[in-house]
């Protein structure tokens, strides 16, 4: 497989058919530049150097890994960092290490640190309280995709309380942060993504397996911070998150059902209210089939002539791609799923990569020499900021750990397992029919997970709402604050009095990362969705 260099799994792809050697972002170099004077050993002291005097006073004299109790809480010193230790009798394999940073948005309460899984897997999280009435605010878990990309890219580039700025030297306040009306968790998963790590080189390459750790994380977090457990919980995920989120939501849903049958006071019911899929990859059969339609007949055509040779050539690739995906759906094995990833990615996306366009936003060119393989220079800025030892220590991260916005090894592990070719949409009807709401939205300039394919698969989803959704016309979505028509919405359920049970939103003038391109509109959308307020005044009845 080494010679196969075109890894185009959804979203963050290293487009190596174009640039011969995949050059996963040069995090090491970014990291070493400003601090090349330090030896690895002196990093052992770096942590205490950046800690507050108070924390240093507590840590002084304690042996590394020492644990102690104070005020009914357990603490641990590790890598010269101080954490509160949170454990749970039902999860003997798991513990949380928690610290309280003040970076990014010092006006709200924050927690960050690690979920430790069985001594060898460690998942990094960063939580921000809502800017308004946190006690009444819903809880949102945000996940970026890749697979292999850190949720800190969503945090610092898209929808978090601060935006990366100034080559990564600094961040700026984001007035459109999704914590405006929500408590929000950013989780780096699976292991080896972002600040998350494994001690023994463990990798995770399947969404169902990753889901077990996410569930344990939520239980530990909500048992330690029960104040965030009473309001509705939403799982929102972008891109490859369209595969993760239905899997994770399904794990949570099933655990809730088991709890209903055999209640145990130690485990919390997680108020799973909705699944939000943002420019996701969920039903690859339908979505891959939409690629030529989007590219040739979409709002931002990549080729001038929809009947021309490029479009004709692209269309001829669809039947084989779909046949391979169908066999992955049927036989569900690596043997059937990997060929589907490889064929569809190279044959459908390969030619499009040669156009020099940004596949995440076809309105723009991608200058890979300048902006990196991911087409956004901010991905490098984020690495600069996240690799600053000061910021690491503030977040409870060992300063020796190197951060990459997207980990291409994780990406490859999922690709070579064929994970992304499964039909994750199949997991959703059971949830939707039992009251879990579903929002699928897509920026209309994204080519990787285009809006047409997303609208098609949600339209084919067999739920109680199928008929109503099929009959629902697209109506304008006008943002509350500016009165601008930001897109259009199709929705079923709620008779126009809610944001709907099954809702699709096409977002105008936005690429793959909608909150980056349309921050005000994205906040309007997520706020109305989690508060369950109609997205359109037209109602939803045809
Ligand atoms: C970062 O931003 C803060 C607040 O805007 C400012 O005070 C500080 O000088 C900036 N630092 C750098 C390195 O630009
Ligand atoms: C639709 O969503 C509402 C919340 O807006 C929920 O109460 C209701 O149970 C859902 N409908 C069905 C049929 O699941
Ligand atoms: C939605 O409402 C607007 C304003 O009232 C109206 O102009 C438009 O025709 C309506 N669209 C549909 C599809 O009902």
């Amino acid at each position: 497989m080494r010679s196969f260099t075109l890894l185009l799994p959804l979203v963050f792809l290293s487009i190596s058919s174009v640039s011969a050697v995949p050059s996963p972002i040069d995090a090491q170099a970014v990291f070493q530049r400003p601090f090349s004077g330090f030896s690895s050993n002196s990093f052992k002291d770096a942590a205490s150097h950046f800690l507050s005097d108070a924390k240093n006073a507590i840590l002084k004299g304690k042996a590394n890994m020492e644990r102690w109790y104070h005020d009914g809480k357990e603490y641990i010193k590790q890598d010269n960092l101080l954490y509160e230790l949170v454990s749970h009798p039902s999860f003997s394999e798991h513990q949380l290490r928690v610290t309280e940073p003040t970076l990014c948005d010092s006006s709200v309460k924050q927690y960050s640190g690690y979920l430790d899984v069985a001594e060898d897997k460690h998942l990094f999280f960063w939580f921000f309280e809502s800017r308004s009435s946190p006690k009444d605010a819903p809880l949102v878990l945000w996940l970026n995709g890749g697979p292999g990309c850190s949720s800190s890219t969503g945090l610092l580039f898209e929808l978090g309380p601060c935006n990366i700025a100034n080559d990564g030297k600094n961040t700026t306040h984001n007035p459109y942060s999704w914590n405006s009306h929500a408590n929000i968790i950013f989780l780096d998963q699976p292991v080896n993504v972002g600040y998350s790590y494994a001690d023994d080189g463990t990798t995770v390459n399947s969404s169902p397996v990753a889901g077990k750790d996410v569930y344990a994380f939520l239980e530990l977090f909500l048992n330690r911070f029960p104040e965030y457990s009473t309001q509705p919980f939403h799982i929102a995920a972008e891109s490859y998150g369209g595969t993760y989120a239905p899997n994770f939501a399904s794990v949570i849903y099933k655990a809730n059902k088991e709890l209903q049958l055999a209640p145990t006071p130690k485990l919390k019911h997680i108020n799973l209210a909705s699944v939000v899929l943002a420019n996701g990859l969920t039903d690859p059969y339908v979505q891959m089939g939409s690629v030529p339609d989007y590219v040739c007949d979409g709002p931002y055509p990549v080729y001038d002539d929809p009947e021309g040779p490029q479009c004709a050539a692209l269309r001829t690739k669809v039947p084989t791609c779909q046949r391979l995906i169908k066999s992955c759906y049927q036989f569900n094995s690596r043997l059937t799923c990997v060929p589907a990833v490889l064929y569809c990615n190279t044959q459908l996306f390969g030619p499009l990569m040669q156009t020099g366009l940004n596949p995440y936003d076809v309105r723009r060119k991608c200058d890979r020499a300048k902006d990196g393989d991911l087409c956004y220079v901010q991905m490098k800025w984020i690495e600069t900021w996240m690799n600053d030892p000061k910021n690491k220590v503030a977040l409870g991260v060992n300063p020796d750990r190197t951060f990459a916005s997207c980990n291409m090894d994780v990406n490859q592990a999922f690709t070579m397992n064929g994970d992304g070719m499964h039909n994750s949409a199949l997991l959703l009807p059971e949830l939707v029919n039992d009251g879990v709401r579903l929002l699928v939205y897509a920026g209309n300039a994204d080519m990787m997970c285009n809006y047409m394919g997303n609208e098609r698969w949600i339209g084919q989803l067999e739920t109680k709402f199928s008929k109503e959704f099929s009959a629902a016309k697209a109506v304008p979505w006008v943002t509350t604050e500016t009165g601008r028509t930001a897109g259009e919405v199709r929705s079923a359920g709620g008779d126009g009095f809610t944001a709907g049970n099954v809702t699709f939103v096409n977002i105008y003038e936005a690429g793959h990362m909608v909150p980056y391109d349309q921050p005000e509109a994205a906040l309007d959308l997520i706020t109305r969705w989690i508060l369950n307020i109609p997205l359109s005044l037209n109602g939803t009845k045809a």
Side-chain angles (χ1 to χ4, degrees):
M1 274 311 151
R2 206 165 154 52
S3 63
F4 181 80
T5 47
L6 185 99
L7 280 184
L8 271 199
L10 266 251
V11 189
F12 276 127
L13 39 148
S14 83
I15 301 115
S16 320
S17 68
V18 182
S19 59
V21 186
S23 59
I25 314 91
D26 202 5
Q28 200 72 35
V30 171
F31 179 58
Q32 281 167 357
R33 208 174 306 127
F35 304 103
S36 51
F38 286 86
S39 74
S40 166
N41 256 351
S42 60
F43 269 127
K44 293 218 170 69
D45 304 321
S48 56
H49 177 71
F50 292 111
L51 285 179
S52 70
D53 291 347
K55 279 190 180 174
N56 267 323
I58 298 172
L59 286 175
K60 208 162 169 224
K62 302 244 181 236
N64 216 23
M65 299 302 283
E66 186 174 343
R67 296 175 180 209
W68 68 97
Y69 287 89
H70 179 72
D71 263 355
K73 289 176 188 157
E74 190 175 5
Y75 291 87
I76 186 171
K77 176 181 174 181
Q78 194 174 324
D79 304 321
N80 263 338
L81 296 166
L82 173 70
Y83 303 94
E84 183 190 336
L85 196 61
V86 179
S87 51
H88 191 288
S90 303
F91 297 92
S92 55
E93 300 257 277
H94 297 76
Q95 64 176 26
L96 275 186
R97 280 179 283 142
V98 184
T99 190
E100 292 186 48
T102 53
L103 293 171
C104 189
D105 184 351
S106 55
S107 74
V108 300
K109 198 178 264 183
Q110 300 178 27
Y111 301 103
S112 69
Y114 284 99
L115 171 76
D116 299 319
V117 189
E119 303 267 306
D120 59 357
K121 293 196 279 178
H122 312 276
L123 301 185
F124 175 77
F125 72 95
W126 192 353
F127 166 86
F128 296 86
E129 233 186 22
S130 173
R131 284 175 179 162
S132 52
S133 43
K135 293 274 172 293
D136 310 312
L139 178 65
V140 173
L141 172 67
W142 172 265
L143 301 166
N144 280 92
C149 296
S150 166
S151 290
S152 296
T153 62
L155 197 171
L156 291 166
F157 181 60
E158 299 181 65
L159 55 105
C162 66
N163 295 131
I164 197 72
N166 201 3
D167 292 343
K169 291 192 204 79
N170 220 340
T171 61
T172 53
H173 178 79
N174 178 10
Y176 303 110
S177 174
W178 286 17
N179 80 328
S180 297
H181 305 282
N183 300 307
I184 183 161
I185 305 169
F186 298 86
L187 178 69
D188 274 347
Q189 66 76 44
V191 281
N192 299 323
V193 169
Y195 285 144
S196 296
Y197 63 98
D199 296 325
D200 60 358
T202 306
T203 51
V204 168
N205 60 7
S206 98
S207 299
V209 171
K212 297 203 164 66
D213 292 338
V214 173
Y215 177 69
F217 167 77
L218 290 169
E219 281 293 336
L220 266 83
F221 186 85
L222 295 176
N223 274 279
R224 170 60 185 84
F225 305 106
E227 58 271 38
Y228 309 118
S229 69
T230 56
Q231 299 302 319
F233 170 74
H234 304 267
I235 179 162
E238 186 178 271
S239 189
Y240 201 84
T243 300
Y244 290 146
N247 277 281
F248 301 175
S250 172
V251 170
I252 295 166
Y253 175 82
K254 293 200 164 99
N256 280 343
K257 286 283 150 195
E258 276 171 31
L259 265 184
Q260 258 169 15
L261 293 175
T264 125
K266 290 174 195 134
L267 284 174
K268 282 206 178 295
H269 174 92
I270 296 174
N271 299 335
L272 179 64
S274 91
V275 177
V276 178
L277 305 178
N279 286 82
L281 172 66
T282 304
D283 181 342
Y285 181 89
V286 173
Q287 292 181 258
M288 289 292 179
S290 73
V291 170
D293 300 334
Y294 177 78
V295 164
C296 299
D297 301 310
Y300 304 103
V302 171
Y303 300 119
D304 297 335
D305 180 4
E307 309 303 327
Q310 291 108 332
C311 286
L314 208 54
R315 288 185 200 286
T316 64
K317 311 295 187 190
V318 169
T320 306
C321 165
Q322 286 190 321
R323 181 173 54 72
L324 292 168
I325 296 175
K326 185 158 264 177
S327 113
C328 171
Y329 282 10
Q330 273 167 350
F331 300 106
N332 185 20
S333 68
R334 181 182 301 207
L335 207 65
T336 52
C337 297
V338 173
V341 192
L342 300 186
Y343 181 89
C344 299
N345 284 341
T346 51
Q347 300 302 309
L348 282 174
F349 290 111
L352 295 164
M353 293 304 145
Q354 314 283 355
T355 60
L357 294 175
N358 179 338
Y360 309 108
D361 186 341
V362 290
R363 299 170 303 170
R364 304 167 199 258
K365 291 242 180 282
C366 175
D367 181 351
R368 295 198 162 79
K370 192 168 125 266
D371 299 334
D373 275 345
L374 307 177
C375 300
Y376 291 90
V377 71
Q378 289 91 339
M379 296 299 136
K380 293 194 219 171
W381 299 0
I382 288 170
E383 291 180 342
T384 303
W385 196 85
M386 298 292 280
N387 279 314
D388 184 335
K390 244 198 327 299
N391 295 337
K392 289 182 186 174
V393 168
L395 292 169
V397 175
N398 182 346
D400 282 334
R401 200 154 302 294
T402 301
F403 176 95
S405 288
C406 295
N407 180 324
M408 290 305 164
D409 294 335
V410 173
N411 185 295
Q412 181 145 3
F414 273 76
T415 305
M416 291 311 161
N417 195 27
D419 184 71
M421 288 296 119
H422 294 109
N423 187 2
S424 306
L426 289 179
L427 297 164
L428 294 168
E430 183 184 14
L431 280 62
V432 169
N433 288 334
D434 201 19
V436 177
R437 297 158 59 226
L438 173 66
L439 170 65
V440 171
Y441 76 74
N444 73 349
D446 177 27
M447 180 177 79
M448 292 311 297
C449 304
N450 75 66
Y451 78 96
M452 291 177 173
N454 271 298
E455 183 168 4
R456 283 176 201 171
W457 78 252
I458 194 177
Q460 292 175 19
L461 202 65
E462 290 181 25
T463 70
K464 285 179 187 169
F465 303 95
S466 304
K467 245 201 208 134
E468 189 188 340
F469 189 89
S470 297
K473 289 205 179 73
V475 291
W477 156 48
V478 176
T479 64
T480 315
E481 203 171 301
T482 62
R484 193 173 66 87
T485 302
E488 48 193 62
V489 53
R490 284 178 68 196
S491 188
D495 283 328
F497 295 108
T498 71
N501 294 67
V502 174
T503 297
F504 173 77
V505 180
N506 170 0
I507 301 177
Y508 298 157
E509 295 173 63
H512 193 75
M513 280 76 91
V514 169
Y516 169 72
D517 290 310
Q518 298 293 345
E520 182 255 337
L523 178 60
D524 183 88
L525 173 62
I526 197 68
T527 303
R528 284 157 89 169
W529 178 257
I530 60 182
L531 301 181
N532 208 4
I533 300 167
L535 294 169
S536 172
L537 298 175
N538 291 62
T540 58
K541 291 290 184 199

